[in-house]
């Protein structure tokens, strides 16, 4: 029996206001530890919105997210921040590195914010992470001295800094060339193979095919789930409201 | 905390020009405020010193503050007397030597007797009303600075000249008399006395210099028509600030009206309060204004750093921790600005103290008096730091409140 790292139960995210909008409309999803899940779907289908919810960056209007079995819907904003700090790692299309700091300092940021490790141990881990992503000689460069692919790898190293349970990545290769895209995906694949859970939003079907599972979203609902090897678990012909709460 | 400080330092140190402008703003606010405080308190203390030097600290008069209770009232509880004139039948303080001895035993200072009356001074057709105070030269030195205020002659010369008097230079000038000249004093009861100007003094207080004349006790008592009367005791205290308290005690003990210099100058002192209020308001406004540069910088930085704020929050840093970054930035600007402001303030005060002004009133050139006080530096610094923190808090709060998703969505 595989361990469930993250479970979403009937997730709904609504925006109230002048233009009320349902971004995520009743999603049930369980992701196992060490699993690599790709989320695909047309633009505006709610992929990013779902990812923000899964990474506790945003709070659902309804439903529950359990991280390692812990419910999170009752947590306050700062308690969710604490969970993010240690349990979730984020990678976005834009790298969001602090421009005045070196690669190493950027990677050290989450560790320093958590403040549990000694400075020496943090640096050691930071350098090891950068080294494992092929950035050993770029540790002391600032973001504007790096290529797009290198920046994105620094961002991945930063996401991994506190050994989070779950890595969520929103189109991490969206702005990269083919070679860098390949590199970043191999890294994410390796992370999952090492036992961390990876959830990545991508537009690239070839890349999505390399995930353990592909979740296709349309209009804020799961339209289709495909296991690696091609087995279709949910057929698009089934109306979304009838999707079983597996 | 180290991380937060590190980020804050990076933000300010990579914006040298903006940071310097902010620091300069704070420095100028602090510097000029300290200068104003020094000038204001300097001139005020200067004035008070003059006042305190010129006047007796406490004057005991031979009158009572309220009508004494009448024998009938003392005898019968139901009796109440009204419309009784507050005039004692016999002027003068009873047994002045006994009173003085008893006072000397406990007051922190000294006491001297005097006989005070009003008269008209007549010279060459000019008639000017004056106050004549008969003094005892030996004891006078214990209670007034008259000896050191003498410009011509000495207090002791009073006993050498016939009916000698000492008058202010200002009055002498007005009358056109010199030391050695004779003037005519006319008392209230028509008593006339030919007096010799034995000396001239200058207290620096125009009011005093133009109307206060000193003589020995004898001539003053003659002018009053009351031989041997002492109608005033004047006290000088080691600490003039105690005057109000001591005056109340003296009055309770002797029953005579005892007026502290503060009470005698209540009108002047209350005008100080108004002046203080105005100046303090201006100083506060200056400090507040000087922190606007800081407000501007923190607003700019928080705006430029929206993405950094978003990512720090999304990584799991608490909102208040992120906010603290910007407060620390303002504190860095504030503290450095205040340090330079202190130096600037000191230099400005020093510069002012080198300037001398000519007073047509006293005819002297005196340096502008500046009061140096560590308290000015501490208080002005603290207020300025508070203003800076406030100037940073509001933009920082606004910027760090933003939900990271909003910014991440916008940037992707
Ligand atoms: N603050 C908001 N107010 C109203 N509608 C919003 C808001 N944020 C997002 N939306 C809408 O919600 C929908 C889902 O957005 P989301 O960013 O999740 O889509 P996506 O699947 O990630 O698209 P893409 O592939 O283009 O990144 C979109 O139609 C978007 O316009
Ligand atoms: Mg998206």
């Amino acid at each position: 029996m595989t361990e469930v790292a993250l479970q979403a139960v009937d997730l709904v995210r609504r925006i109230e206001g002048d233009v009320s909008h349902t971004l995520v409309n009743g999603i049930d999803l369980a992701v196992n530890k060490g699993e690599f899940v790709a989320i695909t779907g047309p633009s505006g289908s709610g992929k990013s919105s779902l990812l923000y919810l899964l990474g506790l960056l945003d709070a659902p209007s309804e439903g529950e997210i359990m991280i390692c079995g812990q419910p999170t819907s009752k947590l306050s904003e700062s308690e969710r921040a604490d969970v993010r700090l240690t349990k979730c790692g984020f990678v976005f299309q834009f790298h969001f590195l602090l421009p005045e700091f070196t690669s190493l300092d950027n990677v050290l940021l989450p560790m320093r914010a958590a403040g549990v490790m000694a400075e020496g141990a943090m640096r050691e881990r930071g350098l090891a992470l950068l080294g494992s992503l092929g950035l050993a000689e770029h540790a002391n460069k600032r973001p504007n001295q790096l290529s797009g692919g290198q920046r994105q790898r620094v961002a991945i190293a930063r996401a991994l800094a506190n050994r989070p349970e779950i890595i969520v990545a929103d189109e991490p290769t969206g702005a990269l060339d083919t070679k860098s895209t390949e590199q970043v995906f191999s890294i994410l694949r390796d992370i999952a193979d090492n036992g961390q859970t990876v959830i990545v939003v991508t537009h690239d079907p070839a890349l999505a095919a390399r995930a353990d599972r592909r979740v296709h979203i349309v209009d804020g609902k799961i339209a289709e789930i495909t296991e690696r090897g091609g087995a279709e678990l949910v057929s698009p012909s089934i109306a979304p409201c009838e999707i079983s709460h597996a | 905390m180290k991380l937060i400080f590190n980020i804050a330092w990076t933000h300010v140190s990579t914006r040298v020009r903006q940071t310097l402008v902010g620091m300069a703003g704070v420095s100028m606010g602090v510097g000029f405020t300290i200068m104003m405080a020094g000038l204001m308190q300097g001139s005020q203390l200067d004035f008070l010193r003059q006042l305190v030097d010129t006047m007796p600290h406490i004057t005991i008069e031979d009158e009572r503050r309220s009508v004494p209770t009448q024998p009938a009232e003392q005898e019968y509880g139901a009796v109440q007397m009204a419309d009784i004139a507050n005039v004692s039948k016999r002027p003068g303080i009873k047994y002045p030597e006994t009173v003085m001895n008893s006072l000397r035993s406990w007051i922190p200072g000294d006491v001297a007797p005097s006989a005070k009356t009003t008269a008209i001074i007549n010279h060459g057709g000019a008639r000017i009303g004056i106050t004549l105070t008969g003094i005892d030269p030996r004891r006078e030195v214990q209670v007034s600075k008259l000896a050191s205020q003498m410009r011509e002659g000495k207090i002791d010369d009073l006993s050498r000249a016939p009916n000698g008097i000492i008058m202010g230079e200002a009055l002498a000038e007005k009358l056109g008399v010199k030391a050695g000249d004779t003037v005519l004093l006319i008392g209230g009861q028509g008593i006339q006395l030919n007096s010799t100007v034995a000396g001239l003094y200058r207290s620096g207080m125009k009011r005093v210099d133009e109307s206060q004349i000193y003589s020995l006790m004898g001539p003053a008592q003659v002018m009053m028509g009351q031989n041997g009367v002492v109608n005033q005791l004047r006290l000088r205290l080691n600490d003039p600030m105690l005057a109000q308290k001591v005056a109340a005690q003296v009055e309770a003990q002797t029953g005579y009206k005892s007026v502290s210099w503060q009470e005698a100058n209540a009108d002047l002192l209350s005008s100080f309060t108004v002046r203080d209020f105005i100046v303090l308001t201006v100083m506060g406004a200056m400090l507040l204004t000087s922190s606007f540069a800081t407000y501007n910088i923190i607003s700019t930085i928080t705006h430029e750093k929206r993405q950094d704020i978003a990512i720090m929050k999304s990584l799991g840093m608490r909102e208040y921790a992120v906010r603290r970054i910007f407060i620390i930035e303002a504190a860095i600007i504030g503290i450095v600005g205040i340090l330079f402001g202190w130096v600037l303030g000191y230099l400005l005060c020093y510069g002012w103290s080198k300037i001398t002004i000519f007073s047509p009133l006293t005819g002297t050139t005196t340096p502008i008096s500046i009061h140096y006080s560590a308290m000015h530096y501490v208080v002005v610094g603290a207020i300025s730091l508070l203003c800076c923190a406030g100037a940073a808090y509001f933009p920082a709060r606004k910027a760090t409140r933003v939900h990271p998703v909003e910014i991440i969505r916008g940037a992707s």
Side-chain angles (χ1 to χ4, degrees):
Chain A
M1 178 66 199
T2 43
E3 208 178 317
V4 174
L6 181 145
Q7 185 165 16
V9 183
D10 203 13
L11 273 190
V12 176
R13 178 70 170 100
R14 255 183 242 110
I15 301 258
E16 317 281 356
D18 307 345
V19 268
S20 290
H21 194 93
T22 306
L23 314 181
V24 174
N25 195 2
I27 284 192
D28 286 285
L29 183 68
V31 183
N32 293 328
K33 203 164 183 287
E35 198 181 2
F36 186 172
V37 174
I39 298 175
T40 58
S43 181
S45 55
K47 305 183 294 295
S48 299
S49 308
L50 174 62
L51 205 70
Y52 300 147
L53 292 174
L54 297 180
L56 300 193
L57 206 50
D58 199 6
S61 313
E62 285 167 30
E64 178 68 86
I65 294 166
M66 319 257 266
I67 291 195
C68 305
Q70 296 289 318
T72 59
S73 63
K74 300 264 184 316
L75 298 182
S76 69
E77 184 64 45
S78 30
E79 285 166 333
R80 284 218 310 274
D82 288 349
V83 177
R84 285 203 298 274
L85 187 57
T86 51
K87 296 245 165 37
C88 306
F90 292 94
V91 184
F92 302 101
Q93 182 172 347
F94 182 74
H95 56 79
F96 285 117
L97 297 174
L98 301 190
E100 296 97 346
F101 288 89
T102 63
S103 307
L104 181 59
D105 281 329
N106 269 290
V107 175
L108 292 179
L109 185 73
M111 294 191 250
R112 286 181 168 148
V116 285
M117 281 203 261
E119 179 70 19
M122 286 195 284
R123 292 188 83 83
E124 205 172 300
R125 174 163 172 76
L127 287 169
L129 275 171
L130 286 171
S132 70
L133 299 182
L135 293 164
E137 65 268 41
H138 302 298
N140 292 318
K141 286 187 181 168
R142 285 198 301 277
N144 62 3
Q145 297 166 315
L146 298 172
S147 74
Q150 288 165 341
R151 281 179 215 156
Q152 205 54 302
R153 278 182 282 152
V154 175
I156 294 174
R158 180 179 63 188
L160 293 172
N162 282 333
R163 295 175 220 269
E165 224 58 60
I166 299 144
I167 308 285
V168 293
D170 192 358
E171 298 183 44
T173 59
L176 300 182
D177 62 17
T178 342
K179 189 165 160 282
S180 299
T181 300
E182 174 55 36
Q183 213 172 12
V184 165
F185 252 84
S186 316
I187 291 165
L188 293 174
R189 182 72 253 182
D190 287 348
I191 294 167
D193 291 345
N194 284 332
Q196 275 162 301
T197 308
V198 178
I199 305 172
V200 59
V201 168
T202 182
H203 274 126
D204 190 332
L207 294 174
R210 292 168 56 181
D212 296 328
R213 209 156 30 129
R214 207 189 89 182
V215 179
H216 193 72
I217 308 274
V218 177
D219 285 342
K221 298 189 178 87
I222 296 178
E224 179 184 334
I225 295 182
T226 319
E227 289 277 7
R228 185 142 70 147
E232 208 170 85
L233 297 185
V234 181
S235 131
S237 60
I238 299 173
C241 57
E242 287 170 33
I243 293 169
S244 64
H245 292 191
Chain B
M1 197 62 208
K2 204 179 146 208
L3 170 69
I4 288 172
F5 193 84
N6 201 248
I7 296 172
W9 175 249
T10 311
H11 285 176
V12 293
S13 60
T14 50
R15 287 173 177 71
V16 179
R17 201 179 52 82
Q18 277 178 312
T19 305
L20 287 181
V21 169
M23 287 173 178
V26 174
S27 294
M28 285 203 257
V30 168
F32 283 110
T33 309
I34 286 175
M35 179 196 82
M36 269 181 78
L39 274 172
M40 185 191 71
Q41 222 187 341
S43 68
Q44 203 152 309
L45 287 177
D46 208 38
F47 184 79
L48 285 183
R49 209 174 298 128
Q50 235 170 31
L51 201 65
V52 161
D53 280 355
T54 313
M55 304 201 43
H57 296 163
I58 299 171
T59 311
I60 303 171
E61 313 267 6
D62 63 339
E63 44 181 282
R64 315 216 168 228
R65 239 177 240 277
S66 51
V67 181
T69 48
Q70 300 296 306
E73 284 177 301
Q74 289 163 8
E75 208 63 36
Y76 308 104
V79 173
Q80 228 180 352
M81 313 278 277
D83 269 344
I84 297 165
N86 185 13
V87 183
S88 40
K89 282 181 219 96
R90 295 181 51 82
I93 288 167
K94 281 183 198 157
Y95 313 114
E97 287 302 330
T98 319
V99 173
M100 282 194 288
N101 283 334
S102 122
L103 287 178
R104 265 194 211 102
S105 70
W106 66 269
I107 57 161
D110 213 335
V111 55
S114 53
K116 179 187 153 192
T117 184
T118 50
I120 289 167
I121 192 163
N122 195 343
H123 183 77
R127 293 162 73 90
I128 297 174
I130 50 104
T131 303
L132 178 66
T133 302
I135 56 172
D136 175 347
R138 271 182 307 112
R139 299 203 252 190
E140 186 63 17
V141 288
Q142 310 294 329
V143 299
S144 85
K145 289 260 165 95
L146 183 60
S148 63
Q149 290 167 349
M150 293 304 294
R151 289 287 157 150
E152 240 174 280
K154 294 190 295 295
I155 301 182
D156 287 341
D157 294 343
L158 281 178
S159 33
R160 298 209 178 93
N163 297 329
I165 54 168
I166 294 173
M167 67 169 74
E169 272 186 341
L171 181 61
E173 215 163 284
K174 221 162 152 182
L175 291 167
V177 300
K178 309 183 297 294
D181 287 358
T182 304
V183 294
L184 182 67
L185 293 178
I186 304 163
Q189 286 150 7
I191 301 164
Q192 303 202 350
L193 204 64
N194 274 309
S195 313
T196 311
V197 179
L200 301 176
Y201 73 91
R202 181 168 63 211
S203 70
M205 303 261 299
K206 188 178 170 170
R207 197 164 51 130
V208 174
D209 289 359
E210 285 191 345
S211 68
Q212 178 66 58
I213 289 182
Y214 297 97
S215 71
L216 291 181
M217 299 285 270
Q221 287 161 343
V222 167
M223 291 301 291
M224 262 191 266
Q226 299 280 349
N227 276 328
V229 154
V230 170
N231 63 359
Q232 203 183 42
L233 300 180
R234 289 176 301 146
L235 269 69
R236 184 161 197 88
L237 303 177
N238 303 331
D239 178 3
M241 290 303 156
L242 293 177
Q244 269 173 309
K245 215 178 103 215
V246 175
Q249 287 169 344
V250 170
E251 187 159 326
Q253 186 194 321
T254 63
Y256 290 115
K257 182 176 170 186
S258 305
V259 178
S260 64
W261 64 270
Q262 288 103 323
E263 188 187 338
N265 293 286
D267 49 344
L268 268 177
L269 295 179
S270 78
S271 77
F272 275 172
T273 315
V274 174
R275 196 175 85 136
D276 283 356
F277 181 75
I278 294 169
V279 174
L280 285 177
T281 309
V282 171
M283 293 200 298
M286 260 160 63
L287 290 179
L288 203 63
T289 314
S290 71
S291 63
F292 268 76
T294 310
Y295 174 85
N296 208 6
I297 291 160
I298 301 300
S299 296
T300 313
I301 294 181
T302 49
H303 192 76
E304 284 173 13
K305 291 296 173 193
R306 280 161 59 87
Q307 291 194 350
D308 293 20
I309 293 169
I311 196 65
M312 284 188 278
K313 281 183 79 176
S314 71
L315 289 176
M317 279 173 74
R318 296 269 188 103
E319 188 173 315
Y320 71 83
V322 180
R323 190 166 59 222
R324 203 176 283 166
I325 292 172
F326 303 101
I327 309 286
I328 290 174
E329 288 170 18
I332 293 173
I333 293 170
I335 288 168
V336 177
I338 288 165
L339 289 176
F340 279 105
W342 282 351
V343 175
L344 179 69
Y346 181 80
L347 291 178
L348 284 170
C349 284
Y350 183 79
W352 272 103
S353 71
K354 292 290 133 196
I355 297 174
T356 52
I357 41 169
F358 175 78
S359 160
L361 204 71
T362 57
T364 49
T365 309
T366 45
I368 290 175
S369 53
I370 300 276
H371 182 66
Y372 294 94
S373 159
M375 206 57 195
H376 292 168
Y377 291 74
V378 172
V379 170
V380 171
I383 293 175
S384 183
L385 200 57
L386 225 72
C387 287
C388 280
Y393 182 80
F394 296 100
R397 190 181 62 166
K398 182 163 173 275
T400 53
R401 246 189 202 167
V402 172
H403 202 281
V405 167
E406 279 176 40
I407 290 160
I408 288 165
R409 265 189 197 284
S412 299

